[in-house]
Amino acid sequence: MQIKETNNKGLSRAYEVTIPAADIAARIDAEVKKIAPQVKMPGFRPGKVPANLVKKMHGEQLHAQTVNDVIRESVDNLMKEKTLRPAMQPAIDLAEGYEEGKDAVVTVDLEILPVVDAPETEGLKLERLTVAVSDAQIAESLKNIADQQKSYKDAPKTRKASDGDQLIIDFTGSVDGVEFDGGKAEDAPLVIGSGQFIPGFEEQLTGAKTGDEKTITVTFPDDYPAENLKGKDAQFKIAVKQVKVETETKLDDDFATSLGLDSLDKLKELLKGQLEQETNGLTRTQMKRQLLDQLAAGHDFEVPGKMVDAEFEQIWAQLQQEAAKDENPEKALKEIESEKDDYRSIAERRVRLGLLLSEIGQKNGVEVTQQEMSMLIQQAAQQYNEADRQRFMQYVQQDPMAAAQLRAPMYEDKVVDFLFEQADITEREVTREELEAAIEADEAAGDAAAKKPAKKKPAAKKAPAKKAPTKKAPAENAAAKEDADKPVAKKAPAKKQAAKKTSPATKPATQTAAAKKAPAKKVAAKKAPAKKAPAKKPAAKK
């Protein structure tokens, strides 16, 4: 094998590797001898088929497989001989015009990881903002659960439906006198003022009584998902079978036992734990941003452009999705386009921080255990159909890039936890609103720092280093790295998607609530969503 370096600029490397035809032929001959005893051919005893006939039968297949094998081995040897650490999967191409009997000329293009001196972990100073859970917060959570457990009872037949009342109705919808698919329902529950149905539907049922029949006209929204109904006027024949009023939900021990708990005090204790878990997550986010800002401020070195490209593509795809959901998509897209360079700077910051965290982790023996990796694979496999789970698990186990992608968020968290242990931390109690404001301020400061022109500092050393498995930069928000840099050659099994069918009378992606909900077995499933800090920028800019 002959190696010729064709590019050595910055972190870019390119090589031309020549594999002699004699080496390829020798490998093919060895493979023929290996499989010959298993080959069967009429007129020959098993294992006695001449090598030249075996080669004639299977030569094309053997040649293709052998060339692939020797190219892979040659690239591995190149990495070892030149002590290269690829930042991403190298681009490997077999020169045009190759045919059996000729030398194989292979080009290898790649970017290498910079050699970064792991920063010292001593002297880090962080502030932990803590939030005490108040009785008022627990009371609010209790109210939210009670609201989700609403029940209704039959109202007198003379009662006129008003805001908050539930109606049990039959309806049939038509456009221009023709009924449409999905426009009919029986015993459908509808709560006046809930906004479950398309605009104008609920309002026209205000004042209805049990036994009433009426026909209403509504207009489907222009953005309604069913193409045949967008912007169309529709008539609905409605029979009001029952008007119901909400029953009072008493927050007592009986209410707690209906949720599977021993008492109201136990329910409050559980809710307090959930609220503490939520605020602890916010506290960790705020501390992590402090930490990453300190690391980013002290380091500036060249990073692989392809890693930045991959990170930017992830950020950009997320931003475009969010802009498409905006009330004014065109305006939102123009806004992010005007800040495209800023987002690329943020992508570069993420990659640099990822490399720093990786070096810190390696220097200090931080690792994801095999048991933890197995758990990650099993958790990720749950996203797929049962038939595809085993195939997905094999895919991750056989593809180092896919495994690295899955490992990255946990590895990042473990390095961050290690740095927290090393840091000098002071605590300060604040309100939840103050904590959310601090997170937003840290985010804005980090974005601003990423957008500033980089100061001229000595480039990172590029001395030879031992080959290491390809690493991906952990994102500051690990969720943003989902599906990043997936290998092109292989595809993971398709994720399962449950098809949801919604009545045309209802708003898109909104299902009509049942008249009575079954008591929840686990309170955790019923907790109120955590409040989020108002974000000035889309989440991808963290």
Side-chain angles (χ1 to χ4, degrees):
M1 182 181 81
Q2 297 178 345
I3 299 174
K4 177 184 177 183
E5 188 175 68
T6 57
N7 181 30
N8 188 336
K9 294 180 180 178
L11 298 177
S12 297
R13 299 288 185 276
Y15 300 90
E16 187 177 273
V17 179
T18 302
I19 306 168
D23 291 353
I24 298 173
R27 286 286 295 271
I28 293 175
D29 291 340
E31 192 64 26
V32 168
K33 290 180 181 179
K34 181 178 177 181
I35 68 170
Q38 285 82 42
V39 175
K40 294 181 181 180
M41 182 179 289
F44 295 92
R45 288 179 296 165
K48 299 298 182 180
V49 180
N52 64 322
L53 291 180
V54 174
K55 193 171 184 179
K56 186 175 181 181
M57 289 175 60
H58 303 284
E60 187 175 339
Q61 180 182 350
L62 286 171
H63 177 256
Q65 183 61 48
T66 300
V67 169
N68 281 335
D69 290 344
V70 296
I71 288 176
R72 186 182 66 254
E73 293 169 9
S74 297
V75 172
D76 287 344
N77 290 334
L78 167 67
M79 300 300 165
K80 292 176 183 176
E81 184 174 325
K82 299 296 183 180
T83 58
L84 301 172
R85 298 195 304 163
M88 301 282 284
Q89 189 71 35
I92 303 168
D93 292 302
L94 178 63
E96 291 185 9
Y98 171 75
E99 59 186 37
E100 189 172 358
K102 291 185 177 181
D103 293 346
V105 179
V106 179
T107 59
V108 182
D109 287 281
L110 72 154
E111 282 185 306
I112 61 172
L113 292 171
V115 177
V116 181
D117 289 331
E120 293 298 325
T121 58
E122 296 179 1
L124 289 171
K125 294 184 182 298
L126 302 172
E127 183 180 42
R128 179 187 285 120
L129 303 182
T130 61
V131 177
V133 175
S134 67
D135 291 340
Q137 289 175 299
I138 297 173
E140 183 182 355
S141 294
L142 276 172
K143 183 179 181 301
N144 289 331
I145 294 175
D147 288 344
Q148 293 173 14
Q149 297 291 318
K150 283 181 180 178
S151 59
Y152 297 86
K153 65 180 181 181
D154 292 350
K157 292 185 177 181
T158 56
R159 179 180 174 86
K160 294 182 178 181
S162 60
D163 235 24
D165 288 351
Q166 184 187 66
L167 277 61
I168 304 300
I169 61 174
D170 294 344
F171 63 80
T172 302
S174 62
V175 173
D176 296 330
V178 180
E179 294 183 16
F180 50 85
D181 185 36
K184 180 184 290 187
E186 294 182 356
D187 295 329
L190 176 154
V191 176
I192 302 293
S194 65
Q196 290 174 296
F197 284 62
I198 57 177
F201 196 102
E202 296 170 17
E203 292 84 345
Q204 295 184 64
L205 291 177
T206 299
K209 295 180 294 185
T210 299
D212 283 358
E213 293 185 1
K214 62 188 306 184
T215 300
I216 65 172
T217 299
V218 293
T219 303
F220 280 96
D222 292 334
D223 60 352
Y224 197 77
E227 288 292 335
N228 62 317
L229 298 175
K230 284 183 177 180
K232 295 285 184 68
D233 289 338
Q235 290 73 45
F236 283 89
K237 293 181 179 179
I238 300 171
V240 180
K241 300 175 78 172
Q242 184 64 57
V243 175
K244 293 174 174 281
V245 292
E246 183 182 344
T247 58
E248 182 183 356
T249 302
K250 293 183 179 180
L251 297 175
D252 53 17
D253 287 343
D254 289 339
F255 176 73
T257 55
S258 73
L259 298 172
L261 296 168
D262 295 337
S263 65
L264 185 61
D265 286 341
K266 287 289 185 183
L267 175 56
K268 289 180 178 179
E269 184 181 325
L270 181 58
L271 289 173
K272 182 178 181 181
Q274 291 175 348
L275 289 168
E276 287 175 342
Q277 188 175 10
E278 290 173 9
T279 55
N280 288 343
L282 292 173
T283 294
R284 177 183 171 83
T285 296
Q286 190 264 344
M287 284 182 62
K288 183 176 176 181
R289 286 188 176 153
Q290 287 181 66
L291 173 66
L292 296 180
D293 287 345
Q294 289 187 37
L295 291 175
H299 299 83
D300 183 21
F301 51 85
E302 184 181 6
V303 294
K306 289 181 179 178
M307 290 183 76
V308 175
D309 290 342
E311 183 65 40
F312 173 74
E313 287 171 8
Q314 292 298 308
I315 294 173
W316 197 246
Q318 182 180 344
L319 289 167
Q320 288 180 315
Q321 289 175 1
E322 291 175 358
K325 298 174 184 176
D326 194 86
E327 292 180 359
N328 188 336
E330 187 176 349
K331 180 180 178 182
L333 286 169
K334 284 182 179 180
E335 183 179 345
I336 63 171
E337 281 285 352
S338 68
E339 298 178 333
K340 201 167 187 176
D341 290 343
D342 291 342
Y343 287 113
R344 185 165 187 85
S345 297
I346 291 168
E348 184 176 333
R349 166 190 157 97
R350 285 190 179 183
V351 172
R352 186 173 290 110
L353 284 169
L355 294 174
L356 281 170
L357 290 174
S358 178
E359 292 299 326
I360 292 170
Q362 290 184 52
K363 179 181 177 181
N364 294 282
V366 178
E367 61 180 20
V368 174
T369 66
Q370 188 57 50
Q371 183 178 358
E372 289 170 332
M373 191 63 195
S374 297
M375 179 190 69
L376 289 173
I377 294 173
Q378 290 174 3
Q379 288 176 345
Q382 297 306 309
Q383 303 172 64
Y384 296 87
N385 291 312
E386 189 172 351
D388 289 332
R389 287 174 190 168
Q390 190 61 37
R391 190 156 61 94
F392 169 79
M393 293 171 72
Q394 291 175 349
Y395 161 74
V396 174
Q397 290 166 352
Q398 295 171 3
D399 193 298
M401 297 287 281
Q405 175 189 324
L406 197 59
R407 185 188 299 109
M410 178 176 281
Y411 183 79
E412 173 191 319
D413 282 341
K414 296 186 81 167
V415 175
V416 168
D417 287 337
F418 167 79
L419 291 172
F420 284 168
E421 291 172 3
Q422 307 301 308
D424 179 13
I425 299 175
T426 57
E427 290 195 2
R428 179 162 60 94
E429 188 172 315
V430 296
T431 64
R432 178 165 180 144
E433 290 72 22
E434 289 172 331
L435 175 56
E436 291 171 342
I439 291 173
E440 185 180 355
D442 287 344
E443 178 184 356
D447 288 352
K451 296 171 188 176
K452 289 180 181 177
K455 295 179 181 179
K456 296 293 182 181
K457 292 189 180 181
K461 295 181 292 182
K462 302 177 186 69
K466 292 182 180 180
K467 182 186 174 186
T470 302
K471 289 185 174 62
K472 296 181 184 255
E476 292 178 41
N477 177 357
K481 287 299 293 178
E482 191 175 344
D483 301 328
D485 316 327
K486 287 186 177 176
V488 176
K490 296 182 181 179
K491 290 185 179 179
K495 292 183 181 179
K496 61 184 177 184
Q497 292 184 344
K500 292 186 179 179
K501 202 167 185 179
T502 305
S503 166
T506 61
K507 287 184 177 179
T510 301
Q511 294 182 339
T512 307
K516 289 187 180 180
K517 295 187 178 179
K521 296 298 181 184
K522 293 184 180 179
V523 178
K526 294 289 182 182
K527 68 178 182 180
K531 293 180 181 177
K532 295 183 180 179
K536 292 181 180 177
K537 300 281 185 182
K541 291 186 70 176
K542 292 178 183 176

